[in-house]
Amino acid sequence: MNIVVCVKQIPDPAAPQSFDASNNLDRSGKLILDEADTYGVEMALQLVDKAGGGEVTVVSMGSASDVAGIRNALAMGAAKAVIVSDEALRGSDALATLAELLQLPSITFAKSVEIDGTTLKVERQTESGYDEVTAPLPCVVSVTAGVVEPRYASFKGIMAAKSKPLQTLSVSELGLDGQVGAAGAGQAIVEVVAAEARQSGEKFVDEGDGADKIVAFLESIKVL
Amino acid sequence: MSISSLWVVAEPSNGSFTTTSLELLTQARALSASVSVITWGDGASLAAQAGEYGASTLFDVGSLEGALPGAPVASAIAGLVATKGAPAAILIPTSYDGRDIAGRLSARLNRTVLTNVTGLVDDGALTTEHPVFGGTQIVRARFSGEGPGLIVVRAKSFAAEPSGGPAPVVESAPVGELGTTGSAVIVNSHVEEREGPKLEEAPVVVSGGRGLGEASQYALIEEAAKLLNGAAGASRAIVDAGWVPYSHQVGQTGKTVKPTVYIACGISGATQHMVGMKGSKNIVAINKDADAPIFQIADLGIVGDVHQVLPALIAALRARN
């Protein structure tokens, strides 16, 4: 069982974020592996383990100068990584249309994934609960955050990751000249404006009267 | 109204279109004189409702025979674009199936998708508004290529209001050859029962976060919500931790709520959470950390321990009932 996991590196969400002069997200700071992607990596590692063979490859798009996040996926246990990196990709919209382009079935929002021979069995989240969905392999699956416990990279894993293959491809090597980046994005940002700020109201330190203050507030807005 | 025509993907659910579908129809009607609906399954029996909300044509994809909607509905819409000509834009609800349809349609039509949209205005051209950085800034964008633009709109971005229009013309929208793309099928559906009003529609939402300390303390949230005839919500942190099911999650990757009052208990206010609730009419926050970002948007902030304030609130509410 071989599995490809699409991951991305993002600016640390805990750090302040801003746009650059051309309204692209400023990615000049430290990049980390998007936490949501670690669930996909973990799910893939578990499925490969269960199948008793095969490997996990991570694929990413973005700058190849800071790959700490990609190395983290390798340290978790992925065998190799491919990064599509090119200045021409700046302003490119993520092609989240993989399944259609590959002409494969897809199951999004998976909260559990099982493989039964050549059939994939997935519990897929719905507005009111979940559906059991099946599809033949190969299939494109997106995994919901929080459904598995992503492993921490072990010291051994971190050391091993340093020598795992990490291949960088440019847009020309993929044969996509002129189809990507802001020119191929099909949309343009007109402007970025400040949202109407919500004013904060009153703040009290609870001195045993916090609940009373809430009740009085609920009365004032006629909820009680 | 200079926008030639708009199509709206309307999802059927339990004998009605989803509220988000009706919100999109209402806004489409305000922007264009020609609004059509694309639906499937039971949707064809909802033609009267589509008309009431302003659609003049209903394109019926028909039964999906258990397949996930993404592939067949995208195929049918691509067929419509080829036979009827492209509308200015296709509006799609931000939902599990809506996102699938948008993704596949983007590849089929080679058109851009704009997602996470909360505003749609016509200021000479169709302009989309996207909240970023926890809703502190708004990105305004436009399509630059040929139509149709694909626009995925968040729930509660507009109010749903009927216009009392007549029943629309119903036309069939056949699904093309799907090959293996259509082979993901639903074999069983499970509904996770919850008491009281639906999270998205409740006038009062009481939500819990990490500050509760442990999963069993979520019972306090449920109790308070019940006493206020409201619904119980959750931050992503405690959903990820497995304390409560995902269907309780409020935020960017969960549900958007706009209740009369939102009571955040032990929620610090990560941007990902605030996006889903900052449109609430009133916000009350209880948090130990006086510097928690949630206090910046709270009308009433209580700096204190949820384990003391919530039980006291529950006792006070019980005493009134």
Side-chain angles (χ1 to χ4, degrees):
Chain A
M1 166 73 41
N2 292 316
I3 302 180
V4 171
V5 184
C6 300
V7 302
K8 64 182 180 296
Q9 299 191 113
I10 56 168
D12 189 341
Q17 296 170 4
S18 62
F19 288 109
D20 64 17
S22 42
N23 286 330
N24 285 315
L25 184 61
D26 183 355
R27 294 175 191 270
S28 59
K30 186 178 155 20
L31 298 177
I32 63 165
L33 184 65
D34 188 347
E35 192 215 340
D37 295 340
T38 60
Y39 296 98
V41 174
E42 178 62 39
M43 183 75 88
L45 290 169
Q46 289 185 13
L47 290 171
V48 166
D49 273 354
K50 244 179 239 166
E55 61 181 29
V56 174
T57 303
V58 295
V59 176
S60 188
M61 180 181 97
S63 162
S65 57
D66 181 354
V67 294
I70 304 294
R71 288 277 176 215
N72 183 33
L74 294 173
M76 286 174 72
K80 57 180 192 284
V82 179
I83 302 180
V84 181
S85 182
D86 206 307
E87 265 304 300
L89 286 167
R90 276 189 74 80
S92 212
D93 210 0
L95 285 175
T97 45
L98 194 62
E100 188 67 28
L101 294 171
L102 294 173
Q103 284 294 295
L104 291 176
S106 59
I107 306 177
T108 47
F109 303 98
K111 57 182 210 141
S112 87
V113 179
E114 258 181 67
I115 292 165
D116 183 0
T118 56
T119 303
L120 199 62
K121 291 184 170 175
V122 168
E123 288 180 4
R124 178 186 190 250
Q125 273 167 2
T126 61
E127 262 80 11
S128 55
Y130 66 95
D131 286 345
E132 291 170 42
V133 181
T134 64
L137 289 171
C139 179
V140 178
V141 179
S142 77
V143 176
T144 303
V147 294
V148 286
E149 189 67 44
R151 66 193 67 185
Y152 286 105
S154 64
F155 180 71
K156 209 175 132 200
I158 293 167
M159 295 313 285
K162 292 184 179 170
S163 56
K164 284 182 178 171
L166 196 155
Q167 186 188 7
T168 304
L169 294 175
S170 69
V171 164
S172 338
E173 285 169 304
L174 289 172
L176 292 173
D177 285 311
Q179 296 173 43
V180 297
Q187 49 94 4
I189 291 177
V190 183
E191 57 182 347
V192 179
V193 295
E196 205 177 308
R198 203 183 160 109
Q199 299 297 318
S200 61
E202 291 186 287
K203 189 163 81 173
F204 301 95
V205 174
D206 177 39
E207 284 164 355
D209 57 350
D212 295 338
K213 288 212 158 69
I214 294 173
V215 168
F217 181 79
L218 295 177
E219 281 174 343
S220 75
I221 58 169
K222 304 203 163 34
V223 166
L224 285 178
Chain B
M1 284 202 270
S2 64
I3 293 164
S4 56
S5 70
L6 293 170
W7 294 357
V8 174
V9 171
E11 296 180 84
S13 170
N14 298 324
S16 168
F17 288 118
T18 63
T19 308
T20 313
S21 304
L22 298 176
E23 290 162 5
L24 295 197
L25 266 173
T26 305
Q27 184 64 9
R29 188 176 89 211
L31 292 167
S32 174
S34 168
V35 176
S36 302
V37 149
I38 298 142
T39 190
W40 58 92
D42 301 334
S45 64
L46 302 172
Q49 191 181 32
E52 271 169 40
Y53 281 82
S56 51
T57 308
L58 182 146
F59 294 115
D60 177 24
V61 180
S63 166
L64 305 183
E65 285 157 14
L68 287 181
V73 175
S75 161
I77 295 174
L80 285 176
V81 170
T83 55
K84 307 276 172 188
I90 302 176
L91 312 187
I92 303 167
T94 299
S95 64
Y96 300 105
D97 294 332
R99 289 190 249 204
D100 285 3
I101 292 166
R104 288 198 176 262
L105 201 50
S106 171
R108 277 192 173 264
L109 300 175
N110 194 20
R111 293 289 181 276
T112 299
V113 189
L114 287 170
T115 58
N116 202 28
V117 170
T118 56
L120 272 176
V121 287
D122 176 10
D123 51 8
L126 188 60
T127 306
T128 55
E129 297 182 338
H130 313 245
V132 294
F133 304 155
T136 55
Q137 297 191 59
I138 307 281
V139 168
R140 306 182 80 230
R142 285 180 188 161
F143 291 102
S144 47
E146 265 179 72
L150 306 177
I151 303 177
V152 185
V153 185
R154 287 187 70 90
K156 310 265 166 160
S157 297
F158 312 104
E161 282 161 23
S163 63
V169 177
V170 176
E171 289 187 38
S172 139
V175 176
E177 183 52 53
L178 295 178
T180 57
T181 61
S183 58
V185 292
I186 302 167
V187 292
N188 218 338
S189 287
H190 298 262
V191 175
E192 286 164 353
E193 292 292 340
R194 51 187 296 162
E195 287 177 32
K198 282 175 73 176
L199 185 53
E200 308 93 303
E201 286 156 23
V204 177
V205 173
V206 185
S207 275
R210 274 275 186 213
L212 289 170
E214 55 183 271
S216 63
Q217 297 296 308
Y218 192 77
L220 292 173
I221 300 293
E222 288 174 322
E223 179 69 21
K226 199 172 167 187
L227 287 163
L228 289 164
N229 299 317
S235 71
R236 176 171 152 185
I238 70 166
V239 171
D240 283 2
W243 296 4
V244 287
Y246 177 82
S247 55
H248 288 61
Q249 186 174 321
V250 173
Q252 177 94 39
T253 50
K255 295 196 162 106
T256 303
V257 298
K258 284 193 175 175
T260 306
V261 60
Y262 187 89
I263 307 178
C265 309
I267 293 176
S268 61
T271 54
Q272 112 89 27
H273 184 74
M274 306 244 255
V275 168
M277 47 65 79
K278 68 186 295 179
S280 304
K281 214 176 264 173
N282 297 281
I283 297 172
V284 175
I286 309 167
N287 203 292
K288 262 203 289 210
D289 176 7
D291 297 324
I294 191 84
F295 287 127
Q296 290 164 18
I297 62 163
D299 300 287
L300 173 65
I302 304 292
V303 182
D305 186 348
V306 285
H307 300 102
Q308 292 177 2
V309 179
L310 260 184
L313 178 64
I314 288 167
L317 293 172
R318 274 205 192 118
R320 297 173 68 98
N321 281 9

